[in-house]
């Protein structure tokens, strides 16, 4: 027996009695908390997932509450081991971060091979090969791309891409410091 309502998926109230659940089915769509679902799954309210959220089989959102990490994007923080208090947003951002902590990477492949700490990389490929550099700020496409040094500020596309060991530099402007590899305590402004 039961007291179900049409189009609601039933739920067992007891071993012998069915009632309506909060799941509604209409026109091939499922609604949770709504009787007018407009897509295959339409949820009116919050969604909770333990650690990851996938789209098309790819992890898009991953939260590591133990180490206070947040990863947004396909492959972001995928191989993160030991790193904590990081935020990686973008396709493959921080993909192979090992022990880097306190980092914020935004953009495709930003901080891809990072192992340094307290870095901020913003832009596609920014700080991609930064393996040990810490306390850097790279803003712009491939800014600080191969940099492994610390204490640098690069603002502009392709700034300091070859800066492998130069530290405490400030490069502002597209391609500023383009060929600098090991110079330190420099300020370059302009194209």
């Amino acid at each position: 027996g039961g007291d179900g309502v049409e189009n609601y998926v039933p739920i067992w109230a007891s071993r012998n009695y069915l009632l309506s659940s909060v799941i509604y089915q209409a026109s091939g769509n499922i609604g949770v908390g709504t009787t007018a679902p407009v897509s295959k799954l339409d949820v009116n309210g919050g969604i909770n997932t333990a650690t990851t959220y996938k789209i098309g089989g790819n992890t898009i959102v991953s939260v590591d509450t133990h180490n206070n990490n947040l990863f947004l994007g396909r492959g972001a923080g995928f191989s993160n081991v030991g790193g904590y208090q990081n935020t990686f947003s973008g396709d493959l951002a921080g993909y192979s971060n090992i022990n880097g902590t306190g980092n914020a990477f935004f953009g495709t492949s930003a901080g891809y091979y990072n192992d340094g700490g307290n870095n901020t990389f913003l832009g596609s490929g920014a700080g991609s090969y930064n393996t040990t550099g810490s306390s850097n700020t790279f803003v712009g496409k491939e800014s600080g791309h191969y940099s492994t040094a610390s204490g640098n500020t690069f603002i502009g596309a392709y700034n300091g891409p070859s800066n492998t060991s130069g530290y405490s530099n400030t490069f502002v402007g597209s391609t500023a410091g383009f060929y600098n590899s090991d110079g330190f305590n420099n300020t370059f402004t302009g194209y």
Side-chain angles (χ1 to χ4, degrees):
D3 292 314
V5 177
E6 186 178 350
N7 289 339
Y8 280 91
V9 175
I11 185 171
W12 291 100
S14 67
R15 287 185 347 157
N16 300 317
Y17 198 78
L18 289 172
L19 291 175
S20 295
S21 70
V22 297
I23 302 172
Y24 187 85
Q25 183 175 352
S27 303
N29 295 330
I30 300 292
V32 178
T34 179
T35 57
V38 295
S39 59
K40 287 295 179 192
L41 178 61
D42 192 343
V43 178
N44 182 10
I47 297 175
N48 185 32
T49 182
T51 57
T52 62
Y53 182 78
K54 293 186 177 190
I55 297 176
N58 295 305
T59 298
I60 302 301
V61 178
S62 177
V63 177
D64 174 4
T65 56
H66 178 71
N67 291 316
N68 298 320
N69 292 307
L70 173 62
F71 307 135
L72 306 168
R74 186 184 63 84
F78 182 80
S79 298
N80 185 70
V81 178
Y84 58 92
Q85 296 176 339
N86 295 298
T87 300
F88 303 152
S89 178
D91 190 44
L92 304 174
Y95 179 87
S96 192
N97 184 69
I98 304 300
N99 292 309
T101 61
N103 296 297
F105 302 153
F106 301 92
T108 300
S109 297
Y112 188 94
Y113 289 110
N114 182 72
D115 196 23
N118 303 311
N119 294 300
T120 301
F121 301 156
L122 174 60
S124 177
S128 287
Y129 291 90
N130 180 66
T131 53
T132 57
S134 296
S135 301
N136 293 300
T137 300
F138 301 153
V139 178
K141 180 176 175 65
E142 295 188 19
S143 180
H145 190 69
Y146 290 104
S147 182
T148 58
S150 298
N152 293 297
T153 300
F154 301 158
I155 300 174
Y158 307 104
N159 278 7
S162 304
N163 188 75
T164 53
S165 58
Y167 57 89
S168 299
N169 293 300
T170 301
F171 302 157
V172 179
S174 181
T175 68
F178 190 84
Y179 293 107
N180 185 72
S181 61
D182 57 4
F184 55 94
N185 295 328
N186 295 296
T187 299
F188 300 156
T189 303
Y191 176 77

